Amino acid sequence: MFHARRALRTLLIPLMAGLALTTLPATSAQAASTLTNGGFESNGAGTATPTGWSTYSAGGQNAASFTESGGHSGSYRLSHYSASAYKVETYQYLSGLTNGNYTLTAWVRSGGGQNSAYLALKNCGSAEQRTDLPVSSSGWIRIVTSIAVTNNQCTISINSDANAGNWINVDDLTFTSGSTGLAIKGSDISSLAKSEAFGGVYKTGSGTTGDALTILKSSGMNYARLKVWVNPADGYNNKARVLAMAKRVKAQGMKLLVDFHYSDTWADPGVQSKPAAWAGHSYSQLKTDVYNHTYDVLNALKAQGTTADMVQVGNEINGGMLWSEGSTDNWSQLAGLLNSGYDAVKAVNSSTVVALHLAKGGDLAGTRWWFDSAVSGGVKFDAIGLSYYGYWHGSLADFQTTLDDAAARYAKPVFLAETAYPFRLDSEDSLTNIIDTTGELVAGYPATTAGQSAWLRDVMNVVEAVPNGRGLGVFYWETTWTAVTGNGWDPTDAASGNGWENQALFGYDDKALPAMSQFSHR
């Protein structure tokens, strides 16, 4: 009898709660057309059900939701925590809304480890929308969730399905008109042509062999990034190869970002070597070289019907490019080279977006210094791209601060030009992986398929939350660079291996990994 009653009660409580959330005024939630007490300042600390909010737990664990000191902006915040495993929801029902698009914004922190921890908008007349809380145990992170309200009501929900000792903090919620999303869900596939030439195979998650681009497109990827080297030793990533791959990209209905390195090999913060053909050229000649090379590649793309949608003038140019003439030690010369590239892009197609790209995702001061110098030097650009690898470039909170600041300070759209994360640590080939120890990982993100997926999801959430719609999107770096003999990192050494295969989006069995599904992010 006891068990039967308990089962009935367990069934009725969510049923009744569901009715209250969808059809009744829900007086317990003080139904209103505007969010009440979004900063949790009304009651002080220790309040299980703050003014304007309701708490629900099927297991009678309402006490796992409470207010406490230490708000994001004010004195208090909402927290979910219990010393034992718990499931709890703190929600607010809004009615009398004008139909349209709405965005929920909140500042959050989380120690991680939950089965799930997310904000949701539901019972709004369209499909429920969720945004998971990123793992950030110290810095607050802004996240957003948007939805189309079609029935004049909506429920704002803060959910935890947590293990013993897991916690979240939530504060400063707002619910306002507008929508969010990412225009770019992309990846760098520069290694793909060479991989295929050396026998690389790509499979769907269920194991069917197919074209890598088709698999990526079906997962939601809508943008491809291709690097261009001038005269690489292995004959890949040059003009001819980019032209061939661009046809495949555009045939999939994807957009194209062309990433000019202005080198015969890797250009990054540590090295920006001139192409051999330009080695003895004066600064004046280098400006002409940049213009001619950029124009040549992009005009050829346009001529074959695959016009570039975005172009990077330089790759991770923290210290400038075409050293030493284009070093940041000589900003006037660097500005001249960058503007030469910009002018070439626009001469081919005025609507192609020109981006400048730094590897300073979590470095606020460094990013400001660089772009302040660029702006004062008259450098022309349309967008800002930042590389952000969590194991190198600071915390997620640091990344958000830098990204938000760049968007606001320069009034430009911003995007995550490169990110990646390992799904395992061991190597499939003989070369040690670049990230291969647990000590190198980001706290809260294990080197598992789930950890990799959570990483991509959470950086997407950060970019989506950039204010004023300036967060364009995300490129995952080298999704297709699996361990294939002959497709190593060094274009001058056919025997060089790959230190990145544990961060690709295809596994060691060549199957698409779960993280790829994040390309369907709204």
Side-chain angles (χ1 to χ4, degrees):
M1 181 65 176
F2 173 76
H3 292 295
R5 287 177 60 193
R6 185 172 64 181
L8 181 61
R9 180 175 180 273
T10 302
L11 179 65
L12 284 175
I13 288 175
L15 177 61
M16 292 173 67
L19 286 171
L21 296 183
T22 55
T23 60
L24 302 177
T27 53
S28 65
Q30 298 188 355
S33 59
T34 56
L35 182 65
T36 301
N37 193 24
F40 304 102
E41 297 297 310
S42 299
N43 311 101
T47 303
T49 304
T51 299
W53 296 86
S54 297
T55 310
Y56 171 72
S57 174
Q61 300 159 304
N62 285 13
S65 173
F66 53 91
T67 57
E68 63 179 342
S69 297
H72 166 255
S73 62
S75 298
Y76 303 101
R77 67 194 184 208
L78 179 77
S79 294
H80 286 179
Y81 167 81
S82 177
S84 56
Y86 63 95
K87 294 182 183 179
V88 71
E89 176 187 14
T90 309
Y91 66 91
Q92 186 166 153
Y93 167 72
L94 301 180
S95 63
L97 295 171
T98 301
N99 287 339
N101 293 319
Y102 289 83
T103 294
L104 175 69
T105 303
W107 288 88
V108 300
R109 297 192 298 196
S110 172
Q114 300 90 347
N115 299 315
S116 61
Y118 59 90
L119 304 182
L121 296 173
K122 59 185 183 179
N123 308 313
C124 311
S126 58
E128 177 177 333
Q129 295 293 317
R130 296 182 178 182
T131 298
D132 293 88
L133 271 64
V135 179
S136 179
S137 58
S138 54
W140 289 90
I141 294 177
R142 184 200 316 101
I143 59 174
V144 295
T145 307
S146 64
I147 199 163
V149 172
T150 62
N151 59 357
N152 305 111
Q153 64 185 19
C154 199
T155 298
I156 294 166
S157 174
I158 304 164
N159 279 266
S160 292
D161 177 356
N163 300 299
N166 294 163
W167 61 270
I168 65 169
N169 303 147
V170 181
D171 202 4
D172 293 338
L173 289 92
T174 60
F175 187 68
T176 56
S177 294
S179 60
T180 66
L182 296 176
I184 295 172
K185 281 90 71 168
S187 72
D188 193 302
I189 54 165
S190 296
S191 66
L192 178 58
K194 190 173 180 181
S195 173
E196 291 171 335
F198 283 88
V201 173
Y202 299 92
K203 300 178 181 179
T204 64
S206 59
T208 304
T209 299
D211 175 74
L213 274 177
T214 303
I215 295 168
L216 288 161
K217 171 68 183 296
S218 67
S219 296
M221 185 178 123
N222 65 4
Y223 226 115
R225 180 179 187 252
L226 297 173
K227 71 170 175 270
V228 189
W229 288 337
V230 176
N231 188 25
D234 62 359
Y236 286 88
N237 302 117
N238 59 10
K239 174 186 169 183
R241 300 285 185 175
V242 168
L243 287 170
M245 187 59 73
K247 286 184 177 179
R248 293 174 56 185
V249 167
K250 293 283 187 167
Q252 292 286 348
M254 295 180 185
K255 292 187 174 181
L256 174 65
L257 166 57
V258 178
D259 172 18
F260 284 93
H261 283 228
Y262 301 112
S263 180
D264 292 335
T265 187
W266 300 99
D268 58 40
V271 59
Q272 295 280 337
S273 301
K274 288 192 285 284
W278 307 355
H281 291 185
S282 66
Y283 165 66
S284 178
Q285 180 62 44
L286 288 171
K287 283 199 295 183
T288 303
D289 292 333
V290 167
Y291 187 96
N292 289 346
H293 171 62
T294 305
Y295 186 93
D296 179 49
V297 173
L298 297 178
N299 195 50
L301 284 166
K302 180 181 178 181
Q304 69 171 15
T306 60
T307 301
D309 299 282
M310 186 186 292
V311 167
Q312 281 180 219
V313 177
N315 184 76
E316 295 189 332
I317 51 175
N318 299 12
M321 64 185 198
L322 294 168
W323 289 347
S324 59
E325 286 79 1
S327 162
T328 50
D329 291 337
N330 191 333
W331 258 104
S332 64
Q333 290 194 174
L334 175 57
L337 293 168
L338 293 173
N339 282 339
S340 189
Y342 179 96
D343 291 343
V345 177
K346 297 298 184 178
V348 173
N349 183 48
S350 61
S351 62
T352 295
V353 175
V354 178
L356 298 180
H357 171 213
L358 303 185
K360 285 185 174 289
D363 181 0
L364 175 65
T367 300
R368 275 187 176 182
W369 172 83
W370 201 98
F371 277 99
D372 281 358
S373 301
V375 169
S376 66
V379 176
K380 296 174 284 189
F381 61 100
D382 304 320
I384 292 171
L386 298 176
S387 292
Y388 173 62
Y389 296 96
Y391 38 73
W392 291 330
H393 296 144
S395 69
L396 279 166
D398 292 336
F399 173 51
Q400 181 167 72
T401 299
T402 306
L403 200 65
D404 289 356
D405 183 78
R409 189 175 181 88
Y410 309 107
K412 300 288 187 184
V414 295
F415 63 97
L416 177 51
E418 294 183 19
T419 193
Y421 205 76
F423 61 91
R424 59 195 291 170
L425 292 173
D426 60 313
S427 298
E428 191 182 6
D429 63 11
S430 59
L431 183 65
T432 301
N433 288 331
I434 291 172
I435 302 298
D436 69 336
T437 65
T438 55
E440 293 171 298
L441 299 175
V442 179
Y445 297 90
T448 61
T449 56
Q452 182 189 55
S453 189
W455 178 260
L456 182 52
R457 177 197 73 203
D458 291 348
V459 293
M460 283 181 159
N461 288 342
V462 167
V463 177
E464 187 183 16
V466 174
N468 301 310
R470 288 193 173 124
L472 288 179
V474 171
F475 288 93
Y476 192 96
W477 197 69
E478 285 288 13
T479 51
T480 58
W481 200 7
T482 52
V484 175
T485 302
N487 188 25
W489 70 272
D490 186 353
T492 69
D493 179 6
S496 63
N498 178 7
W500 203 258
E501 74 270 18
N502 67 324
Q503 300 193 64
L505 292 187
F506 290 88
Y508 290 7
D509 58 2
D510 300 321
K511 293 180 183 177
L513 293 167
M516 200 184 292
S517 67
Q518 299 300 329
F519 286 133
S520 60
H521 190 106
R522 62 176 167 266

